[in-house]
Amino acid sequence: MAPRATEEERDTIIKTIREQGLDVNVSVGTERTVIGVIGPEEKIRRIPLEAFGGVENVMRVTKPYKRVSREFHPEPTVVTIGADRSDATPVKLGGGAFCVIAGPCSVESAEHIVECAKLVKRCGAHALRGGAYKPRTSPYSFQGHGEEGLKMLAAARAETGLPIVTEVMDPRNVELVAEYADVMQIGARNMQNFTLLKEVGQAKRPVLLKRGMSATVEDLLLAAEYILSEGNTKVILCERGIRTFEKAYRNTADLSAIPTVQELSHLPIIFDPSHALGRRRHIATLSCAGIAAGCDGLIIEVHPDPEHAASDGPQCLNEPEFSECIGRIRPYVELAGKVMR
Ligand code: PEP
Ligand code: MN
């Protein structure tokens, strides 16, 4: 719509599109409103959109994803984490607001997760991560404490005010996880679990969608499109390394994906150096690289005693290491023109 288009002109167009049985996605920006139309092209072409008052330009979006695209929503999406909890300190992510999510790979016990929460808070983290449901490669590895783990996370939030980021693996658990979590994580292994994507799409909580280890940028954006098309627009993407022929580290951090995703989509994207490297050396260095590439935040595994962690110990930073890491990233965040509270 033209910057001076009236609300009436906007509503007339939306009504006309809906009457044709087509889907509408309205994005109200500070400058202008973009009306996205989704449906079969022949059907859309039949509406003389250029002829309506207030229309500045009509363009065809040829990309397979629509709602996540920059064309549909030119301004960056800002996700507020922990917005509606009396015991959490909310934090913004995206659109220049940078945040650090940190904590253990998995919730080990009630005392353990409170200790982790206090540790990461002391060092400057804005949210606590920790898995209650763990997608483990082997069925014999620790699978997480499930609902008990969620309760432990909620207690850690009550104690520290840190919002909680935790994984949901099963569509049947979405409602339960949403009750406790401030952000529901979809792990790399579940990025294309379409039933799960649709289920979190119907929930109210923000979603952290991690890139699958063999997913392309387009696959990632289409997975996010599933969530948005169900109505949930609070999606944070995450680059966590992809599988390549390289064996010197766990995965290969695909830093090119960060500016590429930002060019194609309005959704914020964070970087996970822990699962990319698989060991704790170079996590601070890679974090700085991620920030230089333009990420909107970091998710880092931290454990008070990595040698005894129940999962992913080799890649967990201890307190001095995490504290040093935060110190090292600060100037990079500033240099990138972002603000870290
Ligand atoms: C995790 O965050 O602990 C995790 C399992 O990550 P990913 O899905 O990226 O492997
Ligand atoms: Mn992990």
Side-chain angles (χ1 to χ4, degrees):
M1 303 298 287
R4 279 184 306 277
T6 67
E7 217 164 293
E8 240 182 311
E9 288 171 327
R10 191 162 83 195
D11 293 346
T12 307
I13 295 175
I14 295 170
K15 191 164 158 265
T16 310
I17 298 164
R18 288 220 171 104
E19 276 168 3
Q20 297 302 311
L22 294 159
D23 253 351
V24 189
N25 182 87
V26 184
S27 161
V28 183
T30 47
E31 277 285 304
R32 67 186 70 237
T33 294
V34 177
I35 301 176
V37 190
I38 304 165
E41 211 176 317
E42 331 78 70
K43 215 167 164 185
I44 298 173
R45 274 225 207 89
R46 260 183 260 138
I47 315 171
L49 290 165
E50 291 92 342
F52 284 77
V55 173
E56 183 178 82
N57 181 31
V58 178
M59 63 176 191
R60 183 165 161 255
V61 178
T62 48
K63 300 201 177 75
Y65 43 84
K66 312 289 177 192
R67 289 174 165 89
V68 306
S69 75
R70 277 275 178 195
E71 285 91 341
F72 266 45
H73 192 296
E75 290 176 35
T77 285
V78 181
V79 177
T80 307
I81 302 174
D84 52 348
R85 300 246 191 226
S86 54
D87 62 353
T89 311
V91 62
K92 283 190 166 36
L93 192 155
F98 189 91
C99 90
V100 177
I101 302 163
C105 181
S106 50
V107 178
E108 296 172 16
S109 71
E111 300 74 39
H112 164 259
I113 196 64
V114 170
E115 185 187 354
C116 290
K118 287 180 175 165
L119 186 167
V120 301
K121 190 184 176 180
R122 271 198 298 278
C123 296
H126 308 95
L128 175 69
R129 62 149 289 147
Y133 298 93
K134 292 306 302 176
R136 303 306 300 278
T137 301
S138 163
Y140 307 118
S141 301
F142 175 55
Q143 304 284 308
H145 287 302
E147 188 172 354
E148 284 312 304
L150 295 174
K151 289 181 181 158
M152 295 172 195
L153 281 162
R157 172 178 56 219
E159 183 93 14
T160 58
L162 291 179
I164 301 301
V165 180
T166 196
E167 180 158 353
V168 58
M169 288 170 57
D170 188 325
R172 293 168 295 187
N173 288 339
V174 168
E175 211 176 312
L176 178 71
V177 173
E179 218 180 285
Y180 292 95
D182 297 296
V183 176
M184 295 188 287
Q185 174 175 323
I186 305 272
R189 291 156 191 81
N190 266 320
M191 192 204 81
Q192 286 186 313
N193 181 337
F194 302 115
T195 316
L196 182 60
L197 295 175
K198 284 184 196 168
E199 201 64 36
V200 297
Q202 285 170 16
K204 299 277 178 290
R205 297 264 172 243
V207 176
L208 173 62
L209 179 64
K210 299 187 89 175
R211 180 181 181 185
M213 48 190 106
S214 59
T216 63
V217 165
E218 188 170 290
D219 293 338
L220 172 65
L221 294 175
L222 282 167
E225 184 84 8
Y226 265 93
I227 304 172
L228 268 76
S229 66
E230 292 293 325
N232 191 347
T233 56
K234 291 170 278 189
V235 176
I236 302 162
L237 304 171
C238 180
E239 166 58 41
R240 45 79 76 205
I242 52 174
R243 212 165 245 190
T244 69
F245 53 81
E246 184 53 70
K247 287 189 289 198
Y249 20 80
R250 189 174 176 184
N251 291 289
T252 301
D254 179 16
L255 294 176
S256 315
I258 297 169
T260 305
V261 161
Q262 285 170 334
E263 173 196 338
L264 300 170
S265 175
H266 54 87
L267 296 175
I269 179 165
I270 66 171
F271 177 51
D272 175 348
S274 308
H275 291 86
L277 282 165
R279 56 194 174 102
R280 54 178 169 281
R281 280 188 70 186
H282 311 309
I283 286 196
T285 303
L286 205 58
S287 297
C288 295
I291 297 164
C295 69
D296 298 292
L298 293 166
I299 181 163
I300 300 177
E301 285 191 341
V302 176
H303 195 287
D305 181 14
E307 287 74 13
H308 295 98
S311 57
D312 283 350
Q315 70 194 32
C316 285
L317 300 183
N318 60 26
E319 180 161 7
E321 288 162 343
F322 182 52
S323 176
E324 195 217 313
C325 175
I326 292 279
R328 274 187 60 191
I329 67 169
R330 278 191 194 280
Y332 283 83
V333 173
E334 201 176 317
L335 207 58
K338 298 194 168 75
V339 177
M340 179 159 107
R341 193 183 67 198

